[in-house]
Structure formats: structure tokens, C-alpha cells
Amino acid sequence: MEHIYPEKDGDVKALTEIKRVLKPQGDILLTVPYKEKSNIVYLEGSVYERESKEKNFFAREYDQEMFNRMVENSGFICRDITYICEKTGVLSLDYYQWGPGKIFWYAKYICKFKQILEKIVGHSFDEILARRYLYISDKIIHRVVNVVAVLESN
């Protein structure tokens, strides 16, 4: 959902189409980036099939209002919701890559250091870092990274 180009309600249209083809009384499990404040992320240069030297749309980051509106406008009902939260720490990378920590001068160096180290050892540290900094909760305690929701068609 978050990578559907931000035309007017493109994510709602996609979710509505999923609902249309879903078996009667079917459920879907949906996860999207979730932040305190909604955001549209643009990246410099090429993104997916869009070749450009300018900024290109990359993803949406939903907040509570934007997420609720998308679900409601698509005709689904949110039956269950769970939050993926990130504890703070030196290598809580979402904070430095996408979150409020990206404003710090050293943020890009932390992310680059991880990339270089992974290249040297030939292994991703994502699983290790996820076990250390991420947790799943039915309440928002630390900074929210993603929301996971079970949506049912009504």
C-alpha cells in the first residue's frame, strides 16, 4: 500500500480492489509504515520504474488518522491492530534512516557503517538488530515503526 503512487486515494483504490476480489467474509493481514505524523517520502534519483534525476515518490508513512481513513474508505473493518515499535539505541536504524534521528549529522554515517560492515562479513544484521530494538505490542510504548492490522470485509 505504501508504495502505490500518491495519486488521489491510490491506496484506497487498491485496498477497495483487494476487497472486491477477496472471498466473501475474507480477511487480510496488512502492514504499513506507521509514524506519529503521516509523511510522503521522496528520494533523489530513480525509484522503481521511475527514472529521473529529480525527487521521486518512494512511500507513504501512515499516521492513525490516515490509516483509519484508508481502511474506512475502502469498506474494510479493522478487527485487530498490533504495533511494531522501536526502542531507542545506538543502532535503532529506523530512527536514523526514516525517523526523527535522520536530521543528525552522524545519522548517515551510522547507516553507512552498517552497510560496510555487512559487506565485509557477508551477512545482513537486520535480524539481529530487529531482535534487539523492535518489539510487537498492542499498545504504543516507544516509537512506532509499522502497524499490522487484520482487516475483514463487511
Side-chain angles (χ1 to χ4, degrees):
M1 290 295 133
E2 70 267 20
H3 295 290
I4 296 172
Y5 196 75
E7 63 190 28
K8 180 113 176 95
D9 295 327
D11 54 350
V12 172
K13 290 175 186 173
L15 202 51
T16 302
E17 180 62 11
I18 290 169
K19 183 176 185 278
R20 185 186 71 78
V21 299
L22 192 64
K23 72 178 187 174
Q25 280 71 52
D27 295 343
I28 67 166
L29 181 68
L30 177 69
T31 181
V32 294
Y34 194 86
K35 307 296 182 203
E36 190 174 302
K37 183 179 177 201
S38 67
N39 186 30
I40 304 291
V41 179
Y42 289 87
L43 298 177
E44 294 287 339
S46 300
V47 175
Y48 305 123
E49 74 284 356
R50 294 180 302 279
E51 298 290 330
S52 174
K53 301 217 184 289
E54 300 172 356
K55 287 188 175 185
N56 272 307
F57 167 72
F58 177 67
R60 288 179 181 84
E61 295 173 325
Y62 292 83
D63 64 3
Q64 185 71 52
E65 180 185 337
M66 187 179 184
F67 181 79
N68 289 346
R69 187 174 54 247
M70 176 185 65
V71 171
E72 183 180 316
N73 290 345
S74 65
F76 277 102
I77 296 171
C78 188
R79 186 178 71 215
D80 189 29
I81 194 162
T82 305
Y83 302 97
I84 299 173
C85 301
E86 181 181 55
K87 295 182 239 177
T88 56
V90 175
L91 291 175
S92 50
L93 294 181
D94 189 84
Y95 176 79
Y96 294 112
Q97 191 168 14
W98 304 107
K102 70 182 175 188
I103 65 166
F104 298 119
W105 66 270
Y106 54 84
K108 66 181 176 187
Y109 297 108
I110 290 173
C111 295
K112 191 67 173 171
F113 175 73
K114 175 188 170 266
Q115 281 182 325
I116 292 168
L117 204 52
E118 286 176 336
K119 198 174 249 188
I120 290 169
V121 299
H123 188 298
S124 171
F125 296 128
D126 288 346
E127 183 179 345
I128 295 165
L129 294 173
R131 290 179 191 272
R132 169 103 170 109
Y133 293 107
L134 299 180
Y135 67 94
I136 298 169
S137 175
D138 59 348
K139 296 180 185 82
I140 298 173
I141 299 170
H142 292 289
R143 196 176 78 78
V144 179
V145 177
N146 284 70
V147 63
V148 180
V150 176
L151 306 180
E152 63 183 38
S153 55
N154 54 0

